[in-house]
Amino acid sequence: MAGIDISALDRLWSYVDDVLEGRVVVGKYVKLAYERFVRDLRSSESDDYEWVFDPEEAARYINFIERFCVHTRGELAGEKFFLSAWQVALLAQLFGWKHKTQGYRRFTTAHLFVGRKSGKSQLASAIILAMAVLDDDGAPQFVTAATKRDQAREVWDEVARCIKSSPLLLKRFKVHRSEILGPRNGTIVPLSSDSSTLDGKSLNLACLDEMHAIKDGNLYRVLASSMGSRKNP
C-alpha cells in the first residue's frame, strides 16, 4: 500500500468541531461520545493514561478503504468509496485508539444505528476487507451474521461484489459460493443463528446485522466469546 495520507483525518477534526458546536445535529449519545473523544485526547498527554490516539494508524485503514473499495450499486457503481465525515470519525475512533505500551486496540465493539439506505452494509464490508488485509494476524476469520442466513448474506454479498468490482482486491481475495478466501489463509463466511458452525470459531470480526430481530442474546454471546483469543478483534 502507498504512503499514509494523514490528511484524510481533516474530516474527523471538522466533524468533531461541527458536532460539538451544534452545526451538525446528532443524538445525545453521539455528542457525548465526541465530548469523551476530545477529553480523552487531552488525557492521553499524561503518562498515567494508558491509551493514545495514533492518527497514522487511523488513516491507514481509512486510506485503504478509499483507495481499494468501490461502490457496487446504483449510479456510483464502480467509483471509489469516498467516506463521509461521520464514517471517517467512526473509523478513526475504532482504529486510532490503542494501548500505549502493548499496542492493542482500545475499542473492540461498535454498535452502528443508522437509517435505511445509509450505506451501513457497504461500510461494514469495507471494514472487513481492510482488517483482512491490514491486520497482522494469521488465519484471520470474519463472519457476517444474522438470525437468518439470507440476512447474513447481505453484508457478505456486498463484500463479494466489492472484491469482484476492484481489480486490486481481486489480486488478494478469491470468492467462492459461500466463502471468501483472503490473505494469510483468511476466510469470510456468512453465518446465522440456525447454523451448526457457530461454535469453534476464532474470529477477528463478527458483523451482526439487524440486531433488533434477535430474540435472545445467544448469537451475540457466542460471537463475542469467539473473539477472545485474538489480540485485535
Side-chain angles (χ1 to χ4, degrees):
M1 186 168 138
I4 297 173
D5 179 12
I6 203 170
S7 69
L9 291 189
D10 290 349
R11 279 167 278 166
L12 162 67
W13 311 125
S14 294
Y15 183 75
V16 172
D17 286 343
D18 287 343
V19 166
L20 298 184
E21 294 298 325
R23 291 186 293 269
V24 172
V25 179
V26 298
K28 171 184 175 181
Y29 295 106
V30 173
K31 186 172 183 179
L32 286 173
Y34 287 106
E35 288 176 351
R36 180 189 65 185
F37 175 62
V38 172
R39 186 169 60 249
D40 289 351
L41 284 175
R42 297 193 187 102
S43 298
S44 67
E45 297 174 1
S46 168
D47 292 338
D48 296 330
Y49 194 73
E50 62 182 324
W51 305 105
V52 64
F53 182 75
D54 184 342
E56 289 195 358
E57 184 69 1
R60 196 163 69 99
Y61 287 82
I62 293 166
N63 289 170
F64 177 91
I65 290 172
E66 295 192 325
R67 290 172 182 174
F68 301 112
C69 297
V70 299
H71 292 276
T72 65
R73 292 178 173 178
E75 61 183 16
L76 295 177
E79 294 188 15
K80 289 186 176 181
F81 186 5
F82 184 78
L83 295 161
S84 300
W86 71 266
Q87 294 172 324
V88 169
L90 172 66
L91 294 173
Q93 295 255 39
L94 287 176
F95 296 110
W97 284 104
K98 63 183 185 181
H99 195 271
K100 280 183 177 178
T101 58
Q102 300 185 40
Y104 55 79
R105 292 184 187 121
R106 176 183 180 183
F107 299 114
T108 59
T109 304
H111 292 188
L112 177 60
F113 300 94
V114 295
R116 290 177 58 83
K117 307 301 181 183
S118 297
K120 61 180 181 296
S121 294
Q122 184 182 23
L123 180 61
S125 69
I127 291 173
I128 291 171
L129 289 167
M131 288 182 63
V133 173
L134 298 180
D135 281 11
D136 185 18
D137 208 355
Q141 296 181 350
F142 304 86
V143 300
T144 62
T147 56
K148 300 297 182 182
R149 190 169 179 83
D150 287 348
Q151 185 63 43
R153 286 192 67 101
E154 285 288 325
V155 173
W156 189 91
D157 286 342
E158 180 63 30
V159 175
R161 284 192 299 269
C162 187
I163 292 170
K164 292 176 181 178
S165 301
S166 172
L168 294 171
L169 292 178
L170 274 173
K171 295 179 180 179
R172 307 297 298 274
F173 296 90
K174 188 172 183 179
V175 180
H176 296 283
R177 184 175 180 180
S178 296
E179 181 182 51
I180 296 171
L181 303 180
R184 302 180 307 282
N185 298 314
T187 59
I188 307 169
V189 298
L191 291 177
S192 62
S193 58
D194 55 14
S195 172
S196 61
T197 57
L198 282 172
D199 293 321
K201 294 289 184 183
S202 178
L203 300 179
N204 294 71
L205 179 145
C207 174
L208 182 54
D209 201 5
E210 302 291 343
M211 282 191 65
H212 67 276
I214 298 175
K215 296 180 180 179
D216 59 58
N218 183 61
L219 176 59
Y220 184 94
R221 286 192 294 271
V222 171
L223 293 173
S225 65
S226 69
M227 293 186 282
S229 64
R230 299 290 187 173
K231 180 181 178 181
N232 270 323

